[in-house]
Amino acid sequence: MAPTPQIPETMANDPHLRKFWEKRHQLFSKIDEGVEMPDTCMWHMVTPEPNAIEHAKRFKGKKTVVDAFGGCGGNSIQLAKVVDKVHYVELNPNRLEAAKKNAKIYGVEDKIEFHLGDFMEVSKTLKADGVFLAPLWTTKINNSYNDYVNFDIQNMEPIPGDKIFAAGRSISKNVALFMPVTTPFHQLSQLADAGEHVEFYNEPNPFEVGTAMGLTAYYGDLAKKY
């Protein structure tokens, strides 16, 4: 049996990061097999694996899907299990290299094409039948989305949320947009075409049972029809 990994020194004295370390298998079930997260920011930015699995289920049956803000690969890995090909896009080269290694650990590296660059530019070159959008939740007013009763997508930076969504829709009508749980439904509904059904799903928080960690809006044929 392999020895239990020790908490990195950069995390040991931070109670917030220690919480993520103690529940690290919620982030990646194979994290003790060499999964890499190259900076401490990724510990609270990566989509927990149970949530990534649920996201991926919506794309089952698609041929090609774009993961627009790929990070260290959590969503791309799960998407690659259910579709033929994933276009992973990431601006940070260290995170991209980590995502490649993580995809190999999960055995899906051959199903992911890795793109280093700004999604707003890379999107102009991509073709797919589904797009997953999980942009940074930073704003012009304050970098902590927890401070908002209502998170305003127009105040997102460096790119407003509606422009990110438009870039995704230029690739495919079938879009999943992962946002803070305090994002007003009406803002997300206004992104849709006239008369289009949008489905909202509160993402369960694996670190705090009974709470939501985010809100996903599904568009196109990803939205369930009732």
Side-chain angles (χ1 to χ4, degrees):
M1 180 180 295
T4 301
Q6 296 298 308
I7 184 170
E9 290 185 12
T10 54
M11 302 174 67
N13 297 319
D14 186 324
H16 181 65
L17 291 174
R18 180 178 283 276
K19 174 186 72 173
F20 289 104
W21 173 259
E22 291 171 349
K23 295 190 176 182
R24 62 192 181 279
H25 297 100
Q26 293 286 350
L27 301 178
F28 287 98
S29 60
K30 296 187 177 185
I31 195 165
D32 292 343
E33 297 178 32
V35 165
E36 291 188 8
M37 284 188 274
D39 53 81
T40 55
C41 289
M42 288 310 305
W43 283 87
H44 56 82
M45 289 169 58
V46 65
T47 302
E49 190 166 292
N51 302 81
I53 290 171
E54 290 302 312
H55 293 156
K57 288 179 180 178
R58 294 296 183 107
F59 292 89
K60 190 173 182 179
K62 302 293 184 195
K63 296 290 186 181
T64 306
V65 173
V66 175
D67 181 10
F69 302 90
C72 52
N75 285 298
S76 287
I77 287 167
Q78 299 306 324
L79 287 166
K81 293 181 178 181
V82 300
V83 304
D84 293 343
K85 181 178 182 180
V86 177
H87 286 289
Y88 161 106
V89 183
E90 174 57 51
L91 189 59
N92 184 308
N94 294 328
R95 293 175 183 175
L96 184 145
E97 290 303 315
K100 287 182 178 180
K101 294 176 183 177
N102 297 342
K104 187 172 183 178
I105 289 170
Y106 279 82
V108 294
E109 71 275 19
D110 292 339
K111 296 182 70 177
I112 303 175
E113 184 173 337
F114 294 89
H115 304 267
L116 178 63
D118 182 348
F119 171 66
M120 301 301 289
E121 293 301 318
V122 177
S123 64
K124 300 172 185 177
T125 69
L126 299 177
K127 293 183 179 181
D129 51 2
V131 179
F132 182 78
L133 299 172
L136 290 174
W137 296 347
T138 53
T139 73
K140 298 174 183 177
I141 302 172
N142 191 309
N143 283 339
S144 176
Y145 61 88
N146 292 315
D147 293 338
Y148 295 97
V149 175
N150 291 314
F151 181 89
D152 188 345
I153 65 172
Q154 300 305 326
N155 282 330
M156 290 173 63
E157 64 175 15
I159 306 165
D162 60 338
K163 294 188 182 300
I164 293 172
F165 181 81
R169 283 281 246 196
S170 71
I171 300 170
S172 172
K173 290 291 186 182
N174 308 315
V175 173
L177 177 60
F178 183 42
M179 297 298 292
V181 70
T182 57
T183 308
F185 284 11
H186 74 269
Q187 280 198 336
L188 298 173
S189 294
Q190 288 170 356
L191 299 174
D193 293 338
E196 179 182 359
H197 172 64
V198 182
E199 181 189 352
F200 301 103
Y201 177 68
N202 281 325
E203 298 282 346
N205 186 345
F207 299 106
E208 296 181 31
V209 176
T211 66
M213 63 167 287
L215 172 69
T216 301
Y218 291 102
Y219 302 82
D221 65 15
L222 300 178
K224 293 178 180 178
K225 307 299 191 291
Y226 296 99

